[in-house]
Every structure is written in C-alpha cells, then in structure tokens.
Amino acid sequence: MPDCLITGCSQLLTLRGPVPRRGKALRNLGIIPDGAILIHEDRIAAIGPHRRIEKLRQARRAEKIDLAGRVVLPGFVDSHTHLIFPNSRAKEYEERIAGASYEEIAKKGGGIRSTVDTLRRATPSALKKRAIANLNLFATHGTTTIESKSGYGLDWKSELKILTLLSELHQEHPLDIHSTFLGAHVVPREYRSRPESYVKLLVDRWIPAVAMAGLAEFCDVFCDRGAFTVAQSRKILAAGRAGGLVPRIHAEQLANTGAARLAIELQAASADHLEKINAADIRALALSNVVCTLLPGCCFHLGLRDYGPARKLIDSGAIVGLATDFNPGTSPTLSMSMILSLACTQMRMTPAEAITAATINPAYSLRAHDRAGSLEVGKYADIAAFDVADYREIPYYFGVNLCAFTMKRGAVIHSKNL
Ligand code: NIG
Ligand code: FE
C-alpha cells in the first residue's frame, strides 16, 4: 500500500490527550484547523497543520486524498452492540406504541426469548449475510470499531454459532470487532424453573470453554429485574475474570438493583444503560475506572422519558461513553451520529463531550485505546469525514447520515461525493 496524504480537513478533531477523559476534559477535542494526515500502511505517520505535513518528504511522494473542507475525526468506536440477530421485532414495536411495555412483552414470551427462538433455527450463512450488510452500514455511518455480544443463542451450539461468526467477521470484514460472551442475557426457556442450574452451567462449563478457545475478550451479564440477580451476576462475571474475560455489565436499565456497584466491585471495563442509578451510585462510579456507557437509543426507541444522567455523571468526574446498543428489541439503530443527537438534546451533553464519549472513552472501555479512538502518530488510520462546516453540525443535523468518507486501518471503506 503506498503512503497516503489526507488534506482538506477544515477541522481535524484529533482527540489527542489523556485517556480516559473525565469532567471538563471531555470537551477537549484537540482540533487542528486546516489539518492533514500522513498514513503509512495501516497507521498514522504524521498529523498536524497542512502547511507542516505537506512539506514532509514522505508526504510529497504519497497518494493524495483531498477531503475538500470536511470535518474529520477518529472513526466512531461503538462499544455496545448485539450484531448477530435473525430479524427485526417490528411487531413488538407496534405493540409498545399501543401501550404494552418492554417487560410485559418479554413476560408473554416476546422480547429476547423470541429472538432466541428464531436465531436457533437460523443458518450461519443467513446470519452472516445480515451481519455483513449491517457492518457495511456501520462503515457508511463512520464507525470503524465495534464491540458485539453473543446472547441470542443461549444454548451451547447457538452461542458457539454466534461467537464463531463474530470471529470470522472480524477476520474477513475491515471493521474491528471485539467479542463479548453474553450467555447470561436471560435465563433460557428450558431453565426457567431452575435458573441456578443455568448459572452453574455458565460458570462451570460455557465460560471456561469460551475463555479457553479465545472466543471472546469480555463477559457480560444482563443484571436487572427479570434477568439475572446481583448474586448470580457476581458468580458469572467472576468466572469470566478467572478465565481472562474482562467484565462488562448491562446495569440499572429497568430497576435499581445494585448492578452498578457490582461493576465497581469487579472492576468492570464498562457499566451500560444506568438509567436508574441514584446519587450514591453516581458518586461511586465517579471514583472508579468503570466507563459509564449510556445508550440513549434505547430510551428513544422504547419511548421512555428518563434518559441516563449524563450531566451528573460528567460533572461528578465519571468516565462517560456512548454506544448504539444496536439490537432488535430496544435500539435498532447503528448510527452513532443519531446517538450523538440524542445525547445532546435529551441528555444535555455538549457536542464535544458527545464526540469524546463516542471515540476515545469507548476505545478505553474496549482496551483498544493504544490503537483506536484518537488520531495520533502510531495509531490506526481509522478516520471518518463528515459533510459539515463545523463539528457541532454532526449532532445538529439529526437523523441524516452526513458521513462522506470512512477509512479503516488505512483503507478507504466508504466514500460519497468525494
Ligand atoms: O441492551 N437489556 C438487554 N439487552 C438488550 C435488549 C435485547 C433485546 O430486547 O433483544 C439491551 O437493551
Ligand atoms: Fe445491550
């Protein structure tokens, strides 16, 4: 691959600086006006003002890409998705609009368990085709790294089917995919009358097997009303940790259960959702290294009023991140710019805070901040460019995709009107 020189970045948001970002530091985007980036193979070789970079000897010989005044930032890092699922749940969407709640639908056999039923019957090739189409959409929306969970299989064969697909897709598709084992998404139908046996199966067999085979980096639990208790979640995440799987947790989405405290106790990489946390939880999270990953797409899609307390978390000094939670039940979007719009208008994050929470902080939660999440010498050339005049216009123009160009590890994977 020849070296590549990217110019025409009217605002180049580098996100350079301390990792992770807390408090006021979330507003610091490290902007270079009229910036340029020199790329050698998959990495950034130089970055700075255009006048300086163009004079480098390597730059003169490089292939040129002129972004014609676009706003340029690190590719989004989406640290919470459920990429592998067989179909939409549009029927439940309509039932909720008519007044049914997410939990009522789940109790009647809908929700996660209905996706599980369909996924178990789906062929790997059908699941893969859908996942590739969605990965391509992530790329056209400026996302270059995702995390994805298993969790719609909930029997060994089907969970393995998902984790194997994730590992194939990571190899074959340009996007980087970090895998998380979510065997503890809900208690599957077969174990409904004996949940402890399912927990034991996870702890004694599946988690060690996943860890041993290197099929996941992280272990997650849906620790909430109607899913797993704090005591069960502790056992599951501890088993993961014993095998080298770093804990993440679905916490405090439906009820305040103590899941956020568990995340702190177990030094989880991330605690996600957090809509129902209280003031003491916020203080404790602020003193920890757990990334508080807010998922405003869920509140929007479920039509709920109480978004996560982003302002209080940031002002208290917590590490805040944002993710899509792309899944068929609560958040069927893969657009990080839509998530930024929701974060700004519904949770009162500033556009700068939202961008930091969508790049370097989630990269930290994925333990990938040495290569992703900011544009600095030595890091991956993972770059997104938007058709806007100012970075604040990325959330401002809500509901449209203005991403014009995406580069992943030095390769152009999306380009529009360039
Ligand atoms: O993050 N809360 C648990 N898991 C998903 C929902 C999954 C589903 O409804 O299919 C979430 O919101
Ligand atoms: Fe989720």
Side-chain angles (χ1 to χ4, degrees), residues 315-344:
D315 297 340
S316 312
I319 310 165
V320 169
L322 288 167
T324 59
D325 194 7
F326 178 55
N327 80 77
T330 61
S331 188
T333 184
L334 38 67
S335 165
M336 280 300 276
S337 53
M338 181 66 196
I339 296 301
L340 299 190
S341 301
L342 294 172
C344 294

PDB file of all heavy atoms in Angstrom, residues 315-344:
ATOM      1  N   ASP A 315     -20.303  15.780  35.358  1.00  0.00           N
ATOM      2  CA  ASP A 315     -19.936  16.819  36.323  1.00  0.00           C
ATOM      3  C   ASP A 315     -19.344  16.235  37.607  1.00  0.00           C
ATOM      4  O   ASP A 315     -18.603  16.907  38.308  1.00  0.00           O
ATOM      5  CB  ASP A 315     -21.141  17.732  36.610  1.00  0.00           C
ATOM      6  CG  ASP A 315     -21.594  18.476  35.348  1.00  0.00           C
ATOM      7  OD1 ASP A 315     -20.781  18.574  34.393  1.00  0.00           O
ATOM      8  OD2 ASP A 315     -22.747  18.939  35.294  1.00  0.00           O
ATOM      9  N   SER A 316     -19.661  14.964  37.899  1.00  0.00           N
ATOM     10  CA  SER A 316     -19.059  14.324  39.081  1.00  0.00           C
ATOM     11  C   SER A 316     -17.697  13.716  38.788  1.00  0.00           C
ATOM     12  O   SER A 316     -17.032  13.236  39.707  1.00  0.00           O
ATOM     13  CB  SER A 316     -19.958  13.198  39.601  1.00  0.00           C
ATOM     14  OG  SER A 316     -21.262  13.609  39.706  1.00  0.00           O
ATOM     15  N   GLY A 317     -17.334  13.650  37.511  1.00  0.00           N
ATOM     16  CA  GLY A 317     -15.999  13.139  37.171  1.00  0.00           C
ATOM     17  C   GLY A 317     -15.974  11.696  36.709  1.00  0.00           C
ATOM     18  O   GLY A 317     -14.900  11.079  36.632  1.00  0.00           O
ATOM     19  N   ALA A 318     -17.135  11.123  36.372  1.00  0.00           N
ATOM     20  CA  ALA A 318     -17.150   9.745  35.852  1.00  0.00           C
ATOM     21  C   ALA A 318     -16.647   9.719  34.408  1.00  0.00           C
ATOM     22  O   ALA A 318     -16.655  10.737  33.716  1.00  0.00           O
ATOM     23  CB  ALA A 318     -18.569   9.193  35.919  1.00  0.00           C
ATOM     24  N   ILE A 319     -16.219   8.539  33.977  1.00  0.00           N
ATOM     25  CA  ILE A 319     -15.800   8.358  32.584  1.00  0.00           C
ATOM     26  C   ILE A 319     -17.055   7.995  31.793  1.00  0.00           C
ATOM     27  O   ILE A 319     -17.612   6.919  31.988  1.00  0.00           O
ATOM     28  CB  ILE A 319     -14.786   7.195  32.447  1.00  0.00           C
ATOM     29  CG1 ILE A 319     -13.643   7.330  33.447  1.00  0.00           C
ATOM     30  CG2 ILE A 319     -14.250   7.111  31.026  1.00  0.00           C
ATOM     31  CD1 ILE A 319     -12.820   6.043  33.596  1.00  0.00           C
ATOM     32  N   VAL A 320     -17.500   8.888  30.928  1.00  0.00           N
ATOM     33  CA  VAL A 320     -18.748   8.637  30.211  1.00  0.00           C
ATOM     34  C   VAL A 320     -18.480   8.228  28.768  1.00  0.00           C
ATOM     35  O   VAL A 320     -17.618   8.794  28.102  1.00  0.00           O
ATOM     36  CB  VAL A 320     -19.676   9.873  30.296  1.00  0.00           C
ATOM     37  CG1 VAL A 320     -20.861   9.753  29.345  1.00  0.00           C
ATOM     38  CG2 VAL A 320     -20.173  10.044  31.730  1.00  0.00           C
ATOM     39  N   GLY A 321     -19.216   7.211  28.329  1.00  0.00           N
ATOM     40  CA  GLY A 321     -19.173   6.773  26.934  1.00  0.00           C
ATOM     41  C   GLY A 321     -20.581   6.704  26.371  1.00  0.00           C
ATOM     42  O   GLY A 321     -21.564   6.760  27.119  1.00  0.00           O
ATOM     43  N   LEU A 322     -20.664   6.585  25.042  1.00  0.00           N
ATOM     44  CA  LEU A 322     -21.954   6.457  24.360  1.00  0.00           C
ATOM     45  C   LEU A 322     -21.860   5.293  23.382  1.00  0.00           C
ATOM     46  O   LEU A 322     -20.801   5.073  22.786  1.00  0.00           O
ATOM     47  CB  LEU A 322     -22.258   7.723  23.539  1.00  0.00           C
ATOM     48  CG  LEU A 322     -22.616   8.989  24.298  1.00  0.00           C
ATOM     49  CD1 LEU A 322     -22.557  10.192  23.345  1.00  0.00           C
ATOM     50  CD2 LEU A 322     -24.019   8.871  24.909  1.00  0.00           C
ATOM     51  N   ALA A 323     -22.944   4.565  23.224  1.00  0.00           N
ATOM     52  CA  ALA A 323     -22.956   3.489  22.232  1.00  0.00           C
ATOM     53  C   ALA A 323     -24.368   3.340  21.696  1.00  0.00           C
ATOM     54  O   ALA A 323     -25.323   3.867  22.268  1.00  0.00           O
ATOM     55  CB  ALA A 323     -22.475   2.180  22.867  1.00  0.00           C
ATOM     56  N   THR A 324     -24.490   2.613  20.563  1.00  0.00           N
ATOM     57  CA  THR A 324     -25.821   2.457  19.957  1.00  0.00           C
ATOM     58  C   THR A 324     -26.662   1.408  20.673  1.00  0.00           C
ATOM     59  O   THR A 324     -27.881   1.479  20.660  1.00  0.00           O
ATOM     60  CB  THR A 324     -25.735   2.009  18.482  1.00  0.00           C
ATOM     61  OG1 THR A 324     -25.044   0.760  18.411  1.00  0.00           O
ATOM     62  CG2 THR A 324     -25.040   3.060  17.630  1.00  0.00           C
ATOM     63  N   ASP A 325     -26.021   0.357  21.237  1.00  0.00           N
ATOM     64  CA  ASP A 325     -26.754  -0.836  21.717  1.00  0.00           C
ATOM     65  C   ASP A 325     -27.539  -1.451  20.561  1.00  0.00           C
ATOM     66  O   ASP A 325     -28.650  -1.969  20.767  1.00  0.00           O
ATOM     67  CB  ASP A 325     -27.687  -0.499  22.887  1.00  0.00           C
ATOM     68  CG  ASP A 325     -28.199  -1.751  23.609  1.00  0.00           C
ATOM     69  OD1 ASP A 325     -27.720  -2.857  23.287  1.00  0.00           O
ATOM     70  OD2 ASP A 325     -29.069  -1.614  24.478  1.00  0.00           O
ATOM     71  N   PHE A 326     -26.995  -1.392  19.357  1.00  0.00           N
ATOM     72  CA  PHE A 326     -27.688  -1.935  18.176  1.00  0.00           C
ATOM     73  C   PHE A 326     -28.251  -3.331  18.466  1.00  0.00           C
ATOM     74  O   PHE A 326     -27.495  -4.266  18.701  1.00  0.00           O
ATOM     75  CB  PHE A 326     -26.699  -1.969  17.003  1.00  0.00           C
ATOM     76  CG  PHE A 326     -27.267  -2.540  15.740  1.00  0.00           C
ATOM     77  CD1 PHE A 326     -28.424  -2.023  15.188  1.00  0.00           C
ATOM     78  CD2 PHE A 326     -26.635  -3.599  15.095  1.00  0.00           C
ATOM     79  CE1 PHE A 326     -28.958  -2.549  14.014  1.00  0.00           C
ATOM     80  CE2 PHE A 326     -27.157  -4.124  13.922  1.00  0.00           C
ATOM     81  CZ  PHE A 326     -28.312  -3.605  13.383  1.00  0.00           C
ATOM     82  N   ASN A 327     -29.569  -3.446  18.505  1.00  0.00           N
ATOM     83  CA  ASN A 327     -30.234  -4.734  18.753  1.00  0.00           C
ATOM     84  C   ASN A 327     -31.693  -4.605  18.328  1.00  0.00           C
ATOM     85  O   ASN A 327     -32.216  -3.504  18.201  1.00  0.00           O
ATOM     86  CB  ASN A 327     -30.103  -5.118  20.245  1.00  0.00           C
ATOM     87  CG  ASN A 327     -31.107  -4.398  21.131  1.00  0.00           C
ATOM     88  OD1 ASN A 327     -32.279  -4.733  21.174  1.00  0.00           O
ATOM     89  ND2 ASN A 327     -30.657  -3.355  21.838  1.00  0.00           N
ATOM     90  N   PRO A 328     -32.358  -5.748  18.085  1.00  0.00           N
ATOM     91  CA  PRO A 328     -33.713  -5.675  17.527  1.00  0.00           C
ATOM     92  C   PRO A 328     -34.801  -5.331  18.546  1.00  0.00           C
ATOM     93  O   PRO A 328     -35.932  -5.046  18.156  1.00  0.00           O
ATOM     94  CB  PRO A 328     -33.940  -7.096  16.986  1.00  0.00           C
ATOM     95  CG  PRO A 328     -33.081  -7.964  17.845  1.00  0.00           C
ATOM     96  CD  PRO A 328     -31.872  -7.139  18.197  1.00  0.00           C
ATOM     97  N   GLY A 329     -34.472  -5.337  19.845  1.00  0.00           N
ATOM     98  CA  GLY A 329     -35.514  -5.151  20.853  1.00  0.00           C
ATOM     99  C   GLY A 329     -35.640  -3.729  21.359  1.00  0.00           C
ATOM    100  O   GLY A 329     -36.746  -3.185  21.459  1.00  0.00           O
ATOM    101  N   THR A 330     -34.490  -3.133  21.704  1.00  0.00           N
ATOM    102  CA  THR A 330     -34.568  -1.830  22.365  1.00  0.00           C
ATOM    103  C   THR A 330     -33.902  -0.693  21.597  1.00  0.00           C
ATOM    104  O   THR A 330     -34.146   0.470  21.916  1.00  0.00           O
ATOM    105  CB  THR A 330     -33.901  -1.887  23.763  1.00  0.00           C
ATOM    106  OG1 THR A 330     -32.529  -2.240  23.591  1.00  0.00           O
ATOM    107  CG2 THR A 330     -34.575  -2.898  24.672  1.00  0.00           C
ATOM    108  N   SER A 331     -33.066  -1.020  20.601  1.00  0.00           N
ATOM    109  CA  SER A 331     -32.351   0.066  19.927  1.00  0.00           C
ATOM    110  C   SER A 331     -31.871  -0.342  18.530  1.00  0.00           C
ATOM    111  O   SER A 331     -30.697  -0.587  18.302  1.00  0.00           O
ATOM    112  CB  SER A 331     -31.152   0.511  20.776  1.00  0.00           C
ATOM    113  OG  SER A 331     -30.566   1.670  20.221  1.00  0.00           O
ATOM    114  N   PRO A 332     -32.809  -0.416  17.583  1.00  0.00           N
ATOM    115  CA  PRO A 332     -32.404  -0.861  16.251  1.00  0.00           C
ATOM    116  C   PRO A 332     -31.774   0.247  15.399  1.00  0.00           C
ATOM    117  O   PRO A 332     -32.178   0.470  14.267  1.00  0.00           O
ATOM    118  CB  PRO A 332     -33.715  -1.364  15.639  1.00  0.00           C
ATOM    119  CG  PRO A 332     -34.802  -0.758  16.444  1.00  0.00           C
ATOM    120  CD  PRO A 332     -34.245  -0.248  17.723  1.00  0.00           C
ATOM    121  N   THR A 333     -30.752   0.892  15.936  1.00  0.00           N
ATOM    122  CA  THR A 333     -30.020   1.858  15.111  1.00  0.00           C
ATOM    123  C   THR A 333     -28.550   1.520  15.172  1.00  0.00           C
ATOM    124  O   THR A 333     -28.053   1.052  16.196  1.00  0.00           O
ATOM    125  CB  THR A 333     -30.194   3.311  15.579  1.00  0.00           C
ATOM    126  OG1 THR A 333     -29.510   4.169  14.636  1.00  0.00           O
ATOM    127  CG2 THR A 333     -29.596   3.571  16.956  1.00  0.00           C
ATOM    128  N   LEU A 334     -27.843   1.764  14.074  1.00  0.00           N
ATOM    129  CA  LEU A 334     -26.390   1.627  14.124  1.00  0.00           C
ATOM    130  C   LEU A 334     -25.727   2.958  13.824  1.00  0.00           C
ATOM    131  O   LEU A 334     -24.530   3.018  13.541  1.00  0.00           O
ATOM    132  CB  LEU A 334     -25.920   0.494  13.199  1.00  0.00           C
ATOM    133  CG  LEU A 334     -26.626   0.310  11.874  1.00  0.00           C
ATOM    134  CD1 LEU A 334     -26.370   1.466  10.986  1.00  0.00           C
ATOM    135  CD2 LEU A 334     -26.246  -1.004  11.271  1.00  0.00           C
ATOM    136  N   SER A 335     -26.504   4.043  13.920  1.00  0.00           N
ATOM    137  CA  SER A 335     -25.974   5.367  13.617  1.00  0.00           C
ATOM    138  C   SER A 335     -25.447   6.055  14.881  1.00  0.00           C
ATOM    139  O   SER A 335     -26.216   6.474  15.746  1.00  0.00           O
ATOM    140  CB  SER A 335     -27.084   6.222  13.005  1.00  0.00           C
ATOM    141  OG  SER A 335     -26.700   7.582  13.036  1.00  0.00           O
ATOM    142  N   MET A 336     -24.127   6.166  14.984  1.00  0.00           N
ATOM    143  CA  MET A 336     -23.567   6.884  16.136  1.00  0.00           C
ATOM    144  C   MET A 336     -23.909   8.372  16.060  1.00  0.00           C
ATOM    145  O   MET A 336     -24.052   9.013  17.098  1.00  0.00           O
ATOM    146  CB  MET A 336     -22.047   6.683  16.212  1.00  0.00           C
ATOM    147  CG  MET A 336     -21.636   5.362  16.833  1.00  0.00           C
ATOM    148  SD  MET A 336     -22.210   5.135  18.546  1.00  0.00           S
ATOM    149  CE  MET A 336     -20.960   5.988  19.446  1.00  0.00           C
ATOM    150  N   SER A 337     -24.084   8.937  14.861  1.00  0.00           N
ATOM    151  CA  SER A 337     -24.398  10.373  14.850  1.00  0.00           C
ATOM    152  C   SER A 337     -25.814  10.605  15.385  1.00  0.00           C
ATOM    153  O   SER A 337     -26.075  11.624  16.029  1.00  0.00           O
ATOM    154  CB  SER A 337     -24.157  11.017  13.494  1.00  0.00           C
ATOM    155  OG  SER A 337     -24.823  10.332  12.498  1.00  0.00           O
ATOM    156  N   MET A 338     -26.726   9.661  15.167  1.00  0.00           N
ATOM    157  CA  MET A 338     -28.060   9.777  15.791  1.00  0.00           C
ATOM    158  C   MET A 338     -27.929   9.701  17.319  1.00  0.00           C
ATOM    159  O   MET A 338     -28.606  10.430  18.051  1.00  0.00           O
ATOM    160  CB  MET A 338     -28.970   8.647  15.269  1.00  0.00           C
ATOM    161  CG  MET A 338     -30.373   8.687  15.819  1.00  0.00           C
ATOM    162  SD  MET A 338     -31.292  10.144  15.263  1.00  0.00           S
ATOM    163  CE  MET A 338     -32.650  10.164  16.427  1.00  0.00           C
ATOM    164  N   ILE A 339     -27.055   8.817  17.794  1.00  0.00           N
ATOM    165  CA  ILE A 339     -26.818   8.711  19.249  1.00  0.00           C
ATOM    166  C   ILE A 339     -26.254  10.036  19.788  1.00  0.00           C
ATOM    167  O   ILE A 339     -26.636  10.493  20.867  1.00  0.00           O
ATOM    168  CB  ILE A 339     -25.860   7.526  19.549  1.00  0.00           C
ATOM    169  CG1 ILE A 339     -26.516   6.191  19.139  1.00  0.00           C
ATOM    170  CG2 ILE A 339     -25.417   7.508  21.013  1.00  0.00           C
ATOM    171  CD1 ILE A 339     -27.831   5.863  19.821  1.00  0.00           C
ATOM    172  N   LEU A 340     -25.376  10.671  19.005  1.00  0.00           N
ATOM    173  CA  LEU A 340     -24.849  11.983  19.439  1.00  0.00           C
ATOM    174  C   LEU A 340     -25.987  12.997  19.534  1.00  0.00           C
ATOM    175  O   LEU A 340     -26.047  13.783  20.490  1.00  0.00           O
ATOM    176  CB  LEU A 340     -23.800  12.511  18.460  1.00  0.00           C
ATOM    177  CG  LEU A 340     -22.525  11.711  18.214  1.00  0.00           C
ATOM    178  CD1 LEU A 340     -21.520  12.538  17.414  1.00  0.00           C
ATOM    179  CD2 LEU A 340     -21.876  11.279  19.504  1.00  0.00           C
ATOM    180  N   SER A 341     -26.895  12.989  18.557  1.00  0.00           N
ATOM    181  CA  SER A 341     -28.016  13.943  18.585  1.00  0.00           C
ATOM    182  C   SER A 341     -28.850  13.726  19.850  1.00  0.00           C
ATOM    183  O   SER A 341     -29.226  14.685  20.531  1.00  0.00           O
ATOM    184  CB  SER A 341     -28.921  13.761  17.360  1.00  0.00           C
ATOM    185  OG  SER A 341     -28.190  13.961  16.175  1.00  0.00           O
ATOM    186  N   LEU A 342     -29.147  12.463  20.171  1.00  0.00           N
ATOM    187  CA  LEU A 342     -29.933  12.170  21.372  1.00  0.00           C
ATOM    188  C   LEU A 342     -29.170  12.571  22.630  1.00  0.00           C
ATOM    189  O   LEU A 342     -29.748  13.119  23.578  1.00  0.00           O
ATOM    190  CB  LEU A 342     -30.282  10.674  21.423  1.00  0.00           C
ATOM    191  CG  LEU A 342     -31.226  10.178  20.324  1.00  0.00           C
ATOM    192  CD1 LEU A 342     -31.334   8.652  20.359  1.00  0.00           C
ATOM    193  CD2 LEU A 342     -32.602  10.805  20.463  1.00  0.00           C
ATOM    194  N   ALA A 343     -27.873  12.312  22.649  1.00  0.00           N
ATOM    195  CA  ALA A 343     -27.051  12.655  23.818  1.00  0.00           C
ATOM    196  C   ALA A 343     -27.091  14.165  24.054  1.00  0.00           C
ATOM    197  O   ALA A 343     -27.155  14.625  25.202  1.00  0.00           O
ATOM    198  CB  ALA A 343     -25.614  12.179  23.620  1.00  0.00           C
ATOM    199  N   CYS A 344     -27.063  14.920  22.975  1.00  0.00           N
ATOM    200  CA  CYS A 344     -27.037  16.386  23.126  1.00  0.00           C
ATOM    201  C   CYS A 344     -28.400  16.929  23.539  1.00  0.00           C
ATOM    202  O   CYS A 344     -28.509  17.624  24.539  1.00  0.00           O
ATOM    203  CB  CYS A 344     -26.561  17.037  21.824  1.00  0.00           C
ATOM    204  SG  CYS A 344     -24.839  16.648  21.455  1.00  0.00           S
TER     205      CYS A 344
END
